[in-house]
Amino acid sequence: MNDPKKGYSYCMSKNILVSVAWPYASGSRHLGHIGGAYLPADIFARYHRTVGNKVLMVSGSDVHGTPITVRADAEGVQPIDIVNKYHAEFLGYWEKLGISWDNYTTTMTDTHIEVVHDVFNNLLEKGLIDKQKSLQAYDAGEDRFLPDRYVEGVCPHCEYKEARGDQCDKCSKTLDPEELINPISKLSGNKAEFKETEHFFLKLTSLENELGNWLDQQEGWRPHVINWAKSFVKDGLQDRAITRDLDWGIKIPVDDLGPGKKIYVWFEAVIGYLSASKEWASLQGDSDSWKEWWENPEAESYYFIGKDNVPFHAVIWPSILLGYKGLNLPTNVPANQYILIKGEKASASRGVGKSLDDYLDEWNPDALRYALASVLPEQADSEISEQEMIRRNNEELVAAWGNLVQRVFAQINNNFDKLGEISDSEEIDTKLLFGFEEAYKNIGNLIEKVELKSALQESMRCVSQVNAYLNETEPWKIIKDDTKRAGRVLYTSLQAIDSCANLLYPFMPTTSENVRNAIPKTTECKWGVNEIKRGVELGQLELLFKKFD
């Protein structure tokens, strides 16, 4: 076993692409969005950076989604006005929550349009895109074709009454508007009619066998993701339209269809992971550096999304990549399920749960990250309540972790001159620190498998072990009779606290960094046990968390 004084060292240097769902710039975010994709991705990325891997974490605001035009119509403004408002709001969220993007962009950049056109033309030249006639929903009263999300009706598979024209939120089946039972226009409430129109289609039927073989080779995926993807392919893929009769969207790079048509958002948005990576490379001054994550066969790529996005990331995006050739396919698609509030999916539009701004006004961002990370819906929908969030804050962050840090700092500052002479380690001290050696390995393995909730539980178990160690050794009692022994206990506790801060850093970066910076060290391993400097004052440290009444 490694000497805990020397720190545990990982010998890694992998390229890790962290791709995160693109939020529609159409409305405020809520806790379900953050816990569903953005926080898990940040925890994962921060860990991998800590152990020495090269991480590229990308996403951006999806500016062409139908929800944006719906919102613009409702408010009597232009779609770009909605985009500018909510993109700026999202940037504020990421800064407050400490989401560590390498590139957070939008789908209206020149780079994105260029990359989308390249992918389109590549697939067109290979015969994987062709023109087909199909029925598209039409609102006669409004005299306009309807984007799929403007159509609502009863799902033909599960009879959910509020299924959209592109997907059912209840059973996650992808749909075409004409499949809906009793379809209506969300613009006017009129019954949706269907007219024949010509569009470009992605020929998923030509990619079905190759996709199925690839899915059969994937290991370690969450059951609800891989099982759904395989069943989707087993049922038989259907060619899907990748253009629509729209005014707001990316221009089609060929003129075969005539005016009034744009590239459909579901096709171009997933290409954003690639365009955001290329944009990042250009910003670094090395336009080819994106290839380290996309063309290097040793690189790994992870897609953090909600379960409603599984069809696009586990089936359609891999199909596009298989057709394009030469780019890495997903290593894993760790889609989360839903965070529920009183049994309902969190939703800003339906008023289920408070807004994210409300929480950020009231909560320490790290405490909010912790409360969400403790209930991540990795395998099933998870219920969250404000009462439970407050309990976790008060009992686990304030009473267990924050109090541990404060009482050890206070004991040292009040009773020792910079922890000068201390006794040799005893078995109980060595056992505690060796336990952290195992914790680094176990928690690292859990994070790499994207079992983040379990990783957090194990990290907090380490906090409990340090509290138990202090309660057993009671340095505040022995300090008068055996100052050196009390000094060793507090020194060991300080080493353990530093390790707890390391383990908690991916989850709560700001407060963990504050703790780490307040402890002077002779070694500086951010994922291992460090040796603490003696004869040096501890840094000033304010209360980590506030208690809620």
Side-chain angles (χ1 to χ4, degrees):
M1 187 172 290
N2 293 333
D3 183 346
K5 292 183 179 180
K6 295 181 180 178
Y8 187 82
S9 176
Y10 275 76
C11 296
M12 291 184 174
S13 187
K14 294 186 293 186
N15 290 86
I16 307 290
L17 176 68
V18 180
S19 301
V20 196
W22 293 62
Y24 286 128
S26 60
S28 300
R29 302 295 93 179
H30 53 65
L31 293 184
H33 293 124
I34 305 305
Y38 306 103
L39 177 58
D42 189 64
I43 293 167
F44 188 79
R46 285 180 180 275
Y47 161 78
H48 276 286
R49 294 190 191 105
T50 296
V51 300
N53 288 327
K54 298 176 183 177
V55 173
L56 178 57
M57 185 164 103
V58 298
S59 184
S61 298
D62 185 344
V63 306
H64 296 129
T66 301
I68 293 164
T69 55
V70 171
R71 174 71 65 122
D73 287 346
E75 296 187 10
V77 297
Q78 296 300 311
I80 190 63
D81 299 320
I82 300 297
V83 166
N84 290 337
K85 174 183 177 180
Y86 288 106
H87 178 66
E89 187 174 302
F90 296 169
L91 294 176
Y93 294 151
W94 311 142
E95 182 178 0
K96 291 177 183 178
L97 285 165
I99 306 298
S100 55
W101 303 108
D102 292 290
N103 189 26
Y104 185 83
T105 181
T106 75
T107 56
M108 62 183 176
T109 65
D110 290 341
T111 299
H112 180 67
I113 294 169
E114 179 183 329
V115 174
V116 169
H117 285 176
D118 172 63
V119 173
F120 184 100
N121 287 327
N122 176 291
L123 299 178
L124 184 65
E125 290 171 6
K126 292 176 179 175
L128 295 173
I129 290 176
D130 67 0
K131 290 188 292 184
Q132 299 180 26
K133 291 185 177 180
S134 66
L135 296 176
Q136 186 170 344
Y138 181 80
D139 187 327
E142 298 290 327
D143 190 25
R144 61 182 289 184
F145 282 102
L146 297 170
D148 292 354
R149 287 206 172 196
Y150 277 68
V151 189
E152 191 171 274
V154 178
C155 175
H157 303 285
C158 69
E159 298 184 350
Y160 179 57
K161 294 181 179 179
E162 297 178 6
R164 302 189 307 264
D166 59 349
Q167 186 177 2
C168 175
D169 276 344
K170 185 174 182 181
C171 68
S172 296
K173 291 281 189 180
T174 56
L175 299 169
D176 288 315
E178 63 268 24
E179 296 180 74
L180 293 174
I181 301 169
N182 299 325
I184 62 168
S185 166
K186 292 184 68 174
L187 279 180
S188 62
N190 296 329
K191 182 178 179 180
E193 301 176 12
F194 291 91
K195 290 189 174 184
E196 188 175 76
T197 181
E198 188 173 42
H199 285 287
F200 282 110
F201 278 66
L202 175 64
K203 297 183 68 175
L204 291 172
T205 50
S206 299
L207 296 161
E208 182 177 306
N209 291 337
E210 192 175 359
L211 177 67
N213 291 336
W214 175 75
L215 285 171
D216 287 339
Q217 298 170 33
Q218 302 315 301
E219 297 179 354
W221 287 30
R222 292 176 178 170
H224 71 274
V225 177
I226 193 65
N227 291 341
W228 188 95
K230 287 182 176 180
S231 67
F232 192 87
V233 175
K234 185 178 179 180
D235 289 343
L237 297 183
Q238 303 295 319
D239 296 346
R240 285 182 63 91
I242 61 171
T243 58
R244 273 292 186 259
D245 292 275
L246 296 168
D247 296 323
W248 179 250
I250 291 178
K251 182 181 177 182
I252 303 169
V254 294
D255 295 329
D256 299 28
L257 295 180
K261 300 178 190 290
K262 296 288 191 292
I263 294 179
Y264 201 12
V265 64
W266 70 258
F267 177 78
E268 54 101 350
V270 290
I271 299 172
Y273 303 116
L274 178 59
S275 65
S277 301
K278 290 188 174 185
E279 181 180 276
W280 168 85
S282 295
L283 293 171
Q284 306 309 303
D286 182 358
S287 59
D288 288 334
S289 57
W290 62 274
K291 295 178 181 178
E292 296 179 28
W293 285 269
W294 285 92
E295 295 183 356
N296 174 6
E298 300 300 318
E300 298 177 5
S301 53
Y302 297 80
Y303 290 78
F304 287 83
I305 59 171
K307 68 178 179 181
D308 54 341
N309 266 323
V310 168
F312 301 100
H313 292 77
V315 174
I316 292 173
W317 178 229
S319 297
I320 293 171
L321 291 170
L322 286 167
Y324 187 89
K325 303 296 183 188
L327 299 176
N328 292 341
L329 278 82
T331 303
N332 199 348
V333 183
N336 272 350
Q337 304 210 38
Y338 293 143
I339 288 179
L340 304 179
I341 298 174
K342 296 181 180 179
E344 290 189 74
K345 176 187 172 185
S347 170
S349 62
R350 299 201 316 273
V352 180
K354 294 197 303 189
S355 75
L356 186 55
D357 279 328
D358 288 337
Y359 282 106
L360 288 171
D361 287 342
E362 299 168 3
W363 283 68
N364 176 324
D366 272 5
L368 188 60
R369 287 173 62 114
Y370 179 86
L372 283 173
S374 67
V375 295
L376 290 177
E378 294 170 344
Q379 303 295 342
D381 293 346
S382 295
E383 181 79 28
I384 192 170
S385 68
E386 191 157 345
Q387 290 81 1
E388 176 63 10
M389 292 169 63
I390 290 172
R391 185 198 68 77
R392 288 187 179 277
N393 177 82
N394 292 351
E395 296 180 11
E396 298 170 13
L397 295 182
V398 176
W401 171 228
N403 183 57
L404 167 64
V405 174
Q406 292 298 329
R407 65 173 174 158
V408 169
F409 270 57
Q411 285 286 325
I412 293 172
N413 289 331
N414 294 338
N415 297 292
F416 288 90
D417 181 18
K418 305 173 186 176
L419 273 181
E421 294 186 27
I422 61 176
S423 66
D424 293 335
S425 294
E426 296 183 6
E427 182 180 358
I428 189 173
D429 313 320
T430 305
K431 183 178 179 181
L432 177 69
L433 297 182
F434 277 144
F436 275 94
E437 291 295 314
E438 292 303 310
Y440 280 112
K441 297 176 187 176
N442 294 338
I443 292 168
N445 287 334
L446 287 170
I447 295 177
E448 289 173 26
K449 293 189 291 185
V450 205
E451 296 177 12
L452 307 180
K453 185 163 59 173
S454 295
L456 178 59
Q457 292 169 349
E458 289 300 311
S459 299
M460 288 303 292
R461 198 186 313 278
C462 291
V463 172
S464 298
Q465 289 169 349
V466 184
N467 276 313
Y469 165 80
L470 277 174
N471 292 337
E472 185 172 350
T473 54
E474 298 182 311
W476 51 87
K477 286 187 177 180
I478 63 174
I479 195 165
K480 292 182 180 179
D481 299 325
D482 194 343
T483 303
K484 290 185 178 180
R485 175 58 191 154
R488 168 56 68 180
V489 169
L490 290 170
Y491 179 86
T492 302
S493 299
L494 207 56
Q495 283 185 285
I497 286 171
D498 180 69
S499 275
C500 287
N502 285 343
L503 295 170
L504 289 169
Y505 169 78
F507 303 92
M508 298 185 289
T510 302
T511 52
S512 299
E513 191 70 9
N514 290 343
V515 172
R516 296 197 302 198
N517 290 340
I519 301 174
K521 294 175 275 289
T522 58
T523 59
E524 189 61 54
C525 178
K526 293 188 175 181
W527 199 256
V529 180
N530 286 300
E531 186 174 356
I532 309 303
K533 286 184 180 179
R534 302 211 311 269
V536 179
E537 290 185 357
L538 297 176
Q540 295 295 314
L541 193 63
E542 297 180 355
L543 290 175
L544 299 181
F545 304 99
K546 67 178 182 180
K547 184 176 182 179
F548 287 108
D549 293 332

